[in-house]
Amino acid sequence: MKNGKAFLSFFLVLLSTFAFADKLTFGGDSAYPPYEFVDENGEYTGFNVDLMKAVSRVAELDIEIELGEWDLVVEKFKSGELDGLIGMAVTPERQKIYGFSIPHNTLHMAIFYRKGSQEPTVDDLRGREIVVQRNGVMDDYLLENSITDKIVAVESPLDGLKLLSSGTGDFGLFEKYQSLYFAKENEIDNLEVSGATVFERDYAFATAKDDFALLNKLNKGLLLVRESGEYRDIFEKWFGSANWFEQNKRNLLVTAGILVFFVIGLFVLWFWNHTLKVRVKARTEELERKAIENEALRAKIRSLHDIAFKMESCTEEEDVFDLIVKAATEILSFDYYSLDVVEGDYLVVKRHSDNIEVNSRVPKYEGIAGRTLRTGKTIILDDVSKEDDAMPSSSKIKALLSVPIGTIGVFQSVTIESGSFNNEDAELAELLMFHALGALERIKKTREIQFLAFHDSLTGLYNRTFFDEEVSRVDTSRNLPISVIFADVNGLKGLNDRFGHFYGDDYLKTISCTIKESCRHEDLVVRWGGDEFVVLLLRTDTEMAEEIVSRIEKNLSKIDCFAVEASVSFGVATKRDILTDFQDVLRNAELAMYSKKRELRR
């Protein structure tokens, strides 16, 4: 009977593997630009649509996309008429119902305000009249946090933007990129978006709760699309232009200033040419000097872009740190510098010039560096001795330039002369840190994706996909004998029925942690599926494997934080010669485990 169940389970897994040959249908919102919507030609389009097409192509999935009214689409998904959704915000409540892929985007809830007003922060929202979408996440946010009772509720973000533009309300709270898209398409040009983000929410593909095979395919597809650069192209297609003015505001102002300068310069030159010819030579020399300065500035910008391209190919944070220092010293001519990165509650120095003393570890929100990190704004000080919160490492330090690297850290440069830094220095440093931030965030996201592709999300152990790849690598004669421990948690279903699945998840995590800690450092512990675990032991005979099982059982008996005693059945099998098929060894370990389980029931 047990063998029959094992065969049936194997057949169902095999069937699910080939099920992807059939067409899958994923749904989405027909009116949620720029993420997913129906254009004027009746075509499905948007960021989510393009991304799903790319992922389905590289993951070899046959996926059909169907857009409609959001509430009806969600109901069809719940009833099983749809296999998934191409975009859904991830919340704790939704994670109880649906399965979610690796996040493919982030929804930024931001503050919109009328031009001419001072840029607001989150603290400025209290007691003010706020425009939000009725029953939306921002409506809930204001009520749950008692921010204000002056709420103007509208049916859609576009209605809210139009209302705020016409003079109603102090601020509006909407999703950043969608609202920028609406403002551009509807020529709403008297609103700006604050740099302060109220909160962020992961945005991902959604599937049925336990469809792990499909989620694994989608996650691998996302990883391949990101690594190929296609994800960046799709993102820039839909969001690069939506935020164009915000990203290029400083460049536009600088360009306008240069144009005004040259117009005035030409007028003055013409006036002097007719009145004071003797000053023509001096004026010409001044223009030539400025042309040389402008060429030097352009050369610095070109060099910074070269550094940015090198950062794009970095796979380690340390390489990015080195490129920051190289650009700061060789291109921007910053002789005294410190590069600090957030680690927990502290700012820790990662790079600094040898010719200055530094405070190698300080609380992350203290001092000028802390103020820079907290506000996200560049600070220029002509004399640090006049600042109450300054903590210079030397009394010789006078001028300071402090530039944020997002929420990751702070770059600072100092001099021993007052008033040494200007706006050009700040803008060039900000450009460098913008490229560095992009590279560091890409490295972090890539690592998260790689971790999730080969790890179990509940226990943090390696998953079956990683196990299969690792076995193909280590199944060699030099690793013999190879032993396998097959473990099955007893009574998990009954525990879930009595106390709930969250209680059962905690129980399962505690057991997995105990098994992991009881094994050796070189042993591979894997969550096989459900309540089963497998341990791969290289160069380990049966006797040693049994000793490890005894150690695990001893440590399991010490668990006393649950309503039942921790109970796990174990089976051991060993591969002693290279001709033995590893799958037979794994099967023998499983059969031995079931034999122990039958003995326990007698």
Side-chain angles (χ1 to χ4, degrees), residues 49-61 63 104 205 217-225 230-231 234:
V49 174
D50 287 354
L51 182 61
M52 176 53 85
K53 288 179 180 178
V55 169
S56 62
R57 185 184 71 254
V58 301
E60 298 181 350
L61 293 171
I63 293 180
H104 61 61
F205 298 138
K217 284 273 189 177
L218 293 172
N219 287 339
K220 285 189 174 181
L222 276 170
L223 179 60
L224 291 172
V225 171
E230 187 174 1
Y231 176 91
I234 296 172

Side-chain angles (χ1 to χ4, degrees), residues 248-262:
N248 293 278
K249 184 190 299 183
R250 180 178 288 108
N251 292 338
L252 289 172
L253 294 176
V254 170
T255 302
I258 292 174
L259 288 173
V260 171
F261 170 79
F262 277 105

Side-chain angles (χ1 to χ4, degrees), residues 307 310-311 314 319-328 432:
I307 291 290
K310 292 180 181 179
M311 287 180 175
C314 290
D319 296 334
V320 178
F321 297 158
D322 289 338
L323 286 173
I324 291 175
V325 170
K326 178 180 177 65
L432 173 61

Side-chain angles (χ1 to χ4, degrees), residues 15 34 160 179 190 234 255 296 401 459 482 525 569:
L15 183 62
S179 297
N190 67 330
I234 296 172
T255 302
L401 172 64
T459 63
I482 302 174
V525 183
S569 296

Side-chain angles (χ1 to χ4, degrees), residues 53 98 185 200 236 264 312 381 457 476 509 524 549:
K53 288 179 180 178
Y98 311 117
E185 292 297 311
E200 298 177 349
E236 290 180 353
I264 294 174
E312 280 296 312
L381 297 178
S457 59
T476 62
K509 286 189 286 187
L524 177 64
V549 169

Side-chain angles (χ1 to χ4, degrees), residues 434-494:
F434 173 79
H435 290 308
L437 176 62
L440 292 170
E441 289 183 339
R442 175 183 53 77
I443 291 170
K444 179 182 177 183
K445 284 292 184 183
T446 299
R447 285 181 178 167
E448 290 175 354
I449 292 169
Q450 291 172 341
F451 180 88
L452 291 173
F454 294 110
H455 288 76
D456 172 55
S457 59
L458 177 65
T459 63
L461 298 176
Y462 285 111
N463 59 22
R464 193 166 176 174
T465 300
F466 181 82
F467 179 84
D468 291 340
E469 294 190 8
E470 188 69 3
V471 166
S472 66
R473 186 181 68 85
V474 302
D475 188 11
T476 62
S477 57
R478 66 185 181 87
N479 287 321
L480 294 175
I482 302 174
S483 292
V484 173
I485 300 173
F486 207 105
D488 185 277
V489 179
N490 298 317
L492 180 62
K493 183 180 183 304

Side-chain angles (χ1 to χ4, degrees), residues 78-96:
K78 288 181 179 179
S79 68
E81 296 179 58
L82 295 174
D83 298 289
L85 300 177
I86 60 176
M88 190 178 222
V90 181
T91 67
E93 290 302 318
R94 286 176 176 172
Q95 286 178 309
K96 299 175 185 177

